[in-house]
Amino acid sequence: MKHYLGKSEYHLRQKQQDYPVNYEPDKLINAHLLVCGMSGTGKSFQSSRLLGSAAQAGIEVDVFDVHDELERIPGVTACRYSQATGYGYNPLELDTDPHTGGVNRQTEYLVGLLREASPQLGVRQEMVLRNLLLDTYALAGIYPDNPPSWQRDSITEAQRKQLTDARNWAALKQYYPTLDDLKSYGRRKLTALNIGGDNPCISALEQLTRQYKRLTTLQGKYAKASSDDELDKLGKQVNTSKEHCTSSYAEFIAAMQTGRELEDMLKYDSADTLASVLQRLELLNSAGIFRANPPPFGNAQARVHQIKSLSTEQQVLFVKLRLRAIFERHKQAGATRSGTELRHVIFLDEAHKFFSKDDDDIINVIAREARKFGIGLWCASQSPTDFPDSFLTNVGSTLILGLHGSHWQRATSKLRISVETLKHIRPKQVVAVQLRKDGMADPPFGNVVVGN
Ligand SMILES: Nc1ncnc2c1ncn2[C@@H]1O[C@H](COP(=O)(O)OP(=O)(O)O)[C@@H](O)[C@H]1O
Ligand SMILES: [Mg+2]
């Protein structure tokens, strides 16, 4: 990829020469990029041009658009995530690599992400969530110590509904469980915590409850319309279910030997804790980001994820889960042959909010390790001072489009840009650019006339 940024101001002013400045990630220490500027200085404008060039060069692109302003880049397909569209990805799908993946890894990863997204999550809630995840996997025949069992197909909500309606449990086993499975398992455990009993008891009780509801509906609203036959049939079913339920509980009680049969329930702490975890999941998923309902990107190579409708908490969760999926995919594909080739651009708007101090955070892992797998992390933000030093000192190129005077002092010390260069910046006309070429220690920023 070769993207024309503008003309070198130095050459224009001192030598009256047209000297083009290009962004060529293959020639830089890495393909990471930082675009900084106050509101209105052209971050979206310059980012769109850059992303357009990447898409045109056949590079895969994922844009995380928090302002709904990047969908018009030529060659991209945009999808909006919201309560109305309900697009999302199943967080229970596993990385099947025996070294880096599996049930325990995914469980810890999800618990960690949720902890980060909602700091009010307590240790007891974390434990409950961990056990809910492990039990949901186990129920689907997926076990931590059995890597072949990690291999399942992805399911969509529509497929899941079809199989569930047809009660085709055998076919369902070939797919990963979803957040709906986890929630329904959690609700059963909640019932068990409240009224006691084991799984067969709760199933019998649920069936009886469903039938009573149907019976009430038939007897009530449509009383005149429903036939006596139908009522009679359902009445018989209810009686059978009642007997089944009673015998399930009788068996459960008869089988009790130590009085500690509900001990297994201790891993769900208390009904209050379990209920609060289920509520938390409900809230985080209110826009549907964890639904097994992938957006219709089709074969699009350049995708814009419009996430403006999500809360900040949901945006961070969503972006980090996607980043990990992208990183895992390229890691499995292996290093690029040249070690510098750019295969995939990830663009984050308001990028500072996705960074953290945790070295293991996927965004820091990508900043550190993604180069050899061909991933470039492009970040746009109002100020460079919100990024960790590890990123600022390691980013292949930095574009400064105009900083507020109050940021100058910190910018000069953090980015080692001279005040002179900052003074020459004129929003939308002259910017400051640093390109870290391979083999050059710390090149100075230069002013570039971007023109309009
Ligand atoms: N180099 C430029 N030439 C012409 N118009 C520009 C240029 N840079 C930005 N603009 C325009 O200025 C406005 C603000 O730019 P924008 O990219 O939205 O800024 P930001 O994302 O930093 O808030 C937009 O209407 C944009 O089209
Ligand atoms: Mg913008």
Side-chain angles (χ1 to χ4, degrees):
M1 159 183 186
K2 183 171 179 171
H3 173 84
Y4 175 68
L5 289 169
K7 297 170 188 167
S8 157
E9 203 223 15
Y10 168 82
H11 288 80
L12 209 59
R13 188 157 39 93
Q14 302 281 335
K15 306 184 176 172
Q16 284 79 48
Q17 279 176 356
D18 260 6
Y19 186 86
V21 180
N22 295 308
Y23 172 68
E24 293 174 274
D26 293 5
K27 296 187 176 165
L28 305 176
I29 59 163
N30 58 48
H32 301 332
L33 172 80
L34 179 61
V35 180
C36 284
M38 293 178 288
S39 184
T41 52
K43 289 185 300 298
S44 304
F45 182 88
Q46 294 296 350
S47 306
S48 298
R49 285 190 55 220
L50 276 154
L51 289 163
S53 294
Q56 193 137 55
I59 293 164
E60 209 177 329
V61 173
D62 275 289
V63 175
F64 296 92
D65 183 4
V66 298
H67 293 305
D68 276 5
E69 56 184 17
L70 298 167
E71 76 271 19
R72 278 186 298 277
I73 303 166
V76 305
T77 305
C79 279
R80 183 183 309 280
Y81 299 81
S82 73
Q83 207 157 9
T85 64
Y87 294 137
Y89 298 88
N90 178 9
L92 272 68
E93 286 187 12
L94 293 174
D95 169 5
T96 53
D97 183 327
H99 304 292
T100 60
V103 174
N104 285 339
R105 282 289 188 111
Q106 188 66 9
T107 299
E108 285 316 311
Y109 183 68
L110 289 174
V111 171
L113 260 188
L114 253 53
R115 177 196 307 133
E116 193 193 324
S118 32
Q120 60 275 57
L121 198 74
V123 277
R124 279 154 58 197
Q125 287 164 312
E126 276 182 28
M127 174 192 77
V128 166
L129 179 60
R130 191 174 287 120
N131 287 320
L132 266 183
L133 283 160
L134 291 172
D135 281 357
T136 304
Y137 280 121
L139 205 62
I142 302 173
Y143 304 101
D145 53 1
N146 181 4
S149 73
W150 305 347
Q151 192 83 51
R152 296 293 157 103
D153 292 333
S154 300
I155 195 167
T156 62
E157 258 180 3
Q159 284 171 316
R160 183 178 178 274
K161 180 165 184 332
Q162 199 195 351
L163 291 176
T164 316
D165 287 352
R167 309 192 138 256
N168 190 349
W169 313 128
L172 214 50
K173 283 256 162 170
Q174 120 198 23
Y175 299 98
Y176 287 112
T178 68
L179 194 72
D180 281 336
D181 294 309
L182 181 126
K183 286 193 312 198
S184 80
Y185 185 80
R187 280 193 295 266
R188 285 171 153 222
K189 287 291 171 192
L190 196 55
T191 313
L193 274 173
N194 279 322
I195 61 171
D198 58 2
N199 254 339
C201 296
I202 304 296
S203 298
L205 191 65
E206 278 176 352
Q207 188 183 348
L208 182 61
T209 312
R210 272 198 304 275
Q211 288 170 344
Y212 264 126
K213 278 188 186 147
R214 267 170 54 208
L215 192 60
T216 317
T217 316
L218 283 181
Q219 286 170 331
K221 213 156 142 202
Y222 304 110
K224 291 195 182 68
S226 46
S227 71
D228 287 348
D229 272 3
E230 208 173 340
L231 279 173
D232 207 35
K233 199 171 130 207
L234 196 56
K236 284 196 182 115
Q237 281 178 2
V238 165
N239 279 335
T240 316
S241 294
K242 259 184 180 169
E243 277 164 27
H244 177 53
C245 196
T246 314
S247 65
S248 299
Y249 270 98
E251 266 171 45
F252 171 66
I253 291 164
M256 278 176 87
Q257 296 195 334
T258 62
R260 297 175 71 89
E261 274 68 17
L262 284 174
E263 200 82 320
D264 151 72
M265 293 306 299
L266 286 182
K267 59 187 181 182
Y268 291 102
D269 196 65
S270 64
D272 281 351
T273 313
L274 179 53
S276 73
V277 169
L278 292 173
Q279 263 166 19
R280 192 80 217 123
L281 288 172
E282 205 66 58
L283 202 67
L284 285 170
N285 193 36
S286 60
I289 54 170
F290 297 139
R291 286 173 63 178
N293 191 19
F297 280 120
N299 291 326
Q301 284 289 295
R303 302 166 284 265
V304 175
H305 307 265
Q306 299 178 295
I307 54 175
K308 187 181 175 175
S309 312
L310 310 185
S311 67
T312 301
E313 226 177 17
Q314 292 168 344
Q315 286 177 347
V316 172
L317 272 176
F318 175 80
V319 166
K320 296 208 168 162
L321 278 166
R322 289 293 86 216
L323 290 190
R324 201 168 83 126
I326 293 170
F327 185 64
E328 294 299 340
R329 173 154 67 85
H330 287 289
K331 222 166 85 173
Q332 262 165 32
T336 62
R337 207 174 316 155
S338 63
T340 55
E341 179 200 334
L342 180 56
R343 280 179 183 158
H344 199 138
V345 166
I346 298 169
F347 177 84
L348 299 177
D349 204 357
E350 307 289 356
H352 58 272
K353 70 180 177 198
F354 301 103
F355 277 84
S356 73
K357 290 200 170 70
D358 177 5
D359 278 348
D360 292 334
D361 193 324
I362 184 64
I363 194 155
N364 293 319
V365 173
I366 287 183
R368 231 176 22 241
E369 299 176 18
R371 186 200 189 194
K372 59 176 176 291
F373 303 116
I375 302 175
L377 183 63
W378 292 5
C379 297
S381 176
Q382 305 248 348
S383 156
T385 50
D386 295 329
F387 290 89
D389 284 335
S390 57
F391 183 67
L392 294 178
T393 54
N394 185 41
V395 61
S397 28
T398 305
L399 264 62
I400 305 204
L401 310 184
L403 295 183
H404 191 266
S406 61
H407 285 302
W408 282 20
Q409 203 179 1
R410 286 185 57 205
T412 51
S413 70
K414 276 207 144 197
L415 298 174
R416 312 224 280 154
I417 181 171
S418 70
V419 172
E420 202 53 36
T421 311
L422 281 171
K423 273 186 183 159
H424 274 104
I425 295 176
R426 284 192 303 283
K428 304 183 201 177
Q429 295 175 37
V430 181
V431 307
V433 176
Q434 184 189 46
L435 300 169
R436 287 200 173 100
K437 300 216 166 77
D438 242 343
M440 263 171 90
D442 207 3
F445 276 84
N447 288 114
V448 172
V449 182
V450 291
N452 45 25

